[in-house]
Amino acid sequence: MSVPSFAYPSADDFAACPTSRVEVGSGRGPLPDMLACSLSLPGESWSAQIARSAVEAALHAHGLDRLAPAAVQVTGELLAAAWRLDPGGQLYLSARYRDDTLRIAAYDGHQAHGHPRIAAHCEARRRAALRLLRVVVRECGGEWGFGDSREPGGGTRTWVTLPRAGALAYLPG
């Protein structure tokens, strides 16, 4: 009985794809426009601290440290509100930097209500929970909002945009 020979693929076999020709050790660090950070978190009170730390570390790694005061404040507010509206559920955070604007979104599992009065009350509750976020975003010249999540399972997506110039002016020094 003959056993066919098997050769393990070499590192060159994996680098054969023409789109993956980045040289290791090229000295190129993460550029600001490469910032793309997302994480899933449990719907617990301490998840906001983890999210703030993750956003701060991602900004530092991409040379965007000076945006951290506004971004960390906004991240904490987003996650705290998401936790209060969907305690014990699953939370998801996304941070991206494109076109000189930091975009942060939080997703929670709180479903939209079918009854108009209950939906209006819930929307007012979410807006009230995000009062400080609204002030920070206004100070930075950004925008924010929320609506139905397009993610599987539904829920609510709350998003923020912070233009670079405005975030740099937030808590200067």
Side-chain angles (χ1 to χ4, degrees):
M1 178 171 168
S2 168
V3 177
S5 65
F6 176 79
Y8 287 101
S10 71
D12 291 335
D13 293 334
F14 289 108
C17 179
T19 60
S20 66
R21 293 288 182 200
V22 176
E23 294 295 321
V24 176
S26 65
R28 185 181 93 180
L31 300 172
D33 280 348
M34 297 169 89
L35 174 67
C37 173
S38 352
L39 63 148
S40 295
L41 298 157
E44 300 293 338
S45 60
W46 40 263
S47 292
Q49 176 58 42
I50 294 170
R52 288 191 303 263
S53 297
V55 167
E56 187 172 28
L59 290 170
H60 175 72
H62 290 82
L64 296 167
D65 299 271
R66 293 188 49 217
L67 304 183
V72 168
Q73 184 70 54
V74 163
T75 300
E77 297 301 316
L78 284 171
L79 267 287
W83 163 67
R84 288 188 66 211
L85 292 161
D86 189 28
Q90 291 293 312
L91 308 176
Y92 177 76
L93 177 76
S94 170
R96 307 271 186 272
Y97 186 81
R98 303 285 183 276
D99 303 320
D100 284 334
T101 301
L102 181 62
R103 294 168 173 82
I104 303 173
Y107 299 81
D108 61 65
H110 189 79
Q111 301 288 334
H113 298 280
H115 191 280
R117 276 206 298 229
I118 296 173
H121 175 72
C122 189
E123 181 177 321
R125 224 176 117 208
R126 188 174 295 269
R127 287 186 186 283
L130 295 168
R131 277 184 287 226
L132 182 55
L133 175 133
R134 187 172 56 234
V135 171
V136 174
V137 171
R138 184 182 65 228
E139 290 296 313
C140 293
E143 297 178 350
W144 75 283
F146 58 87
D148 292 340
S149 171
R150 296 180 298 254
E151 297 297 314
T156 303
R157 172 181 173 259
T158 308
W159 56 268
V160 170
T161 62
L162 298 173
R164 178 184 179 92
L168 288 173
Y170 181 77
L171 297 180

